[in-house]
């Protein structure tokens, strides 16, 4: 008697490779906590830049794109892990995790630098009310660099907070990338 033929689809694809636990247990790992922090801090960057009315769209457009895109991608990744759907998709999740966090790190570092440039370029400008009048005058001193922005006090403070959170998100993506590379190389 001959042996029964095996299903070629079952032998041609490797089993999914995933070092992280699935379900709510992923939230007890450092990687799970970092992804949660990426989502929270990235959402704060998104909210803060949007609430400053994007005074410098040429620079802050990239910050908005990166914060919104990585927010949704990280949320989708965490959802796949928490629901256990990652186990049903045959791929090397450790490799995808490392590549995603490396790409997100590069994009967020660029966004962080642009947000710093937007905030730092506000030097030398302030709005003073005219005495005995309801109007105000814009006072500009010598600009410190090639980029010069005029932000109100509220916009400046919001952009400082967005810069701090963009740095924290960049740091979280860097730590996630290092852990992802270690998992991938094991």
């Amino acid at each position: 008697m001959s042996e029964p033929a095996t299903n070629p689809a079952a032998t041609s694809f490797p089993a999914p490779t995933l070092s992280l636990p699935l379900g709510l247990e992923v939230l007890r790992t450092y990687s799970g906590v970092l992804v949660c922090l990426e989502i929270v801090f990235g959402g704060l960057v998104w909210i803060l830049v949007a609430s400053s009315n994007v005074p410098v769209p040429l620079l802050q457009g990239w910050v908005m794109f990166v914060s919104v895109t990585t927010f949704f991608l990280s949320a989708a990744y965490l959802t796949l892990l928490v629901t256990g759907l990652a186990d049903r998709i045959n791929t090397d999740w450790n490799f995808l995790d490392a590549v995603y966090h490396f790409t997100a790190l590069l994009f967020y570092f660029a966004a962080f630098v642009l947000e710093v440039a937007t905030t730092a370029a506000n030097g030398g400008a302030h709005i003073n009310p005219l005495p005995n009048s309801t109007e105000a005058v814009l006072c500009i001193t010598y600009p410190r660099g090639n980029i010069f922005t005029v932000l109100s006090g509220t916009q400046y403070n919001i952009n400082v907070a967005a810069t701090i959170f963009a740095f924290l998100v960049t740091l979280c993506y860097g730590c996630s990338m290092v852990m992802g590379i270690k998992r991938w190389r094991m």
Side-chain angles (χ1 to χ4, degrees):
M1 264 328 229
S2 66
E3 293 182 27
T6 59
N7 184 358
T11 59
S12 62
F13 292 107
T17 307
L18 181 63
S19 299
L20 290 172
L22 295 176
L24 293 176
E25 289 297 315
V26 74
L27 299 177
R28 294 183 185 199
T29 64
Y30 288 122
S31 294
V33 171
L34 281 171
V35 171
C36 290
L37 289 175
E38 292 163 5
I39 293 168
V40 170
F41 292 156
L44 285 172
V45 171
W46 173 16
I47 291 168
L48 288 168
V49 172
S51 69
S52 73
N53 297 325
V54 191
V56 189
L58 185 62
L59 299 177
Q60 290 182 311
W62 179 254
V63 178
M64 286 296 292
F65 169 75
V66 169
S67 62
V68 170
T69 303
T70 56
F71 175 84
F72 284 114
L73 289 176
S74 292
Y77 177 63
L78 187 63
T79 302
L80 283 173
L81 293 175
V82 169
T83 59
L85 292 174
D87 198 33
R88 296 182 182 190
I89 301 171
N90 290 328
T91 189
D92 187 358
W93 284 102
N94 294 330
F95 174 74
L96 288 179
D97 180 46
V99 168
Y100 167 67
H101 282 103
F102 174 74
T103 305
L105 173 68
L106 289 179
F107 281 17
Y108 240 110
F109 182 74
F112 165 67
V113 168
L114 290 175
E115 187 62 28
V116 167
T118 301
T119 306
N122 189 43
H126 55 280
I127 300 173
N128 288 337
L130 291 173
N132 300 327
S133 175
T134 58
E135 295 184 25
V137 63
L138 176 66
C139 300
I140 300 176
T141 58
Y142 184 72
R144 291 185 285 187
N146 294 334
I147 301 172
F148 185 75
T149 62
V150 178
L151 304 174
S152 69
T154 304
Q155 286 176 328
Y156 178 76
N157 292 336
I158 290 172
N159 279 306
V160 168
T163 302
I164 291 168
F165 284 115
F167 173 74
L168 291 175
V169 175
T170 304
L171 194 63
C172 288
Y173 276 113
C175 293
S176 291
M177 180 199 66
V178 168
M179 286 192 280
I181 289 173
K182 286 182 180 180
R183 278 193 309 272
W184 175 49
R185 290 292 179 191
M186 287 185 358

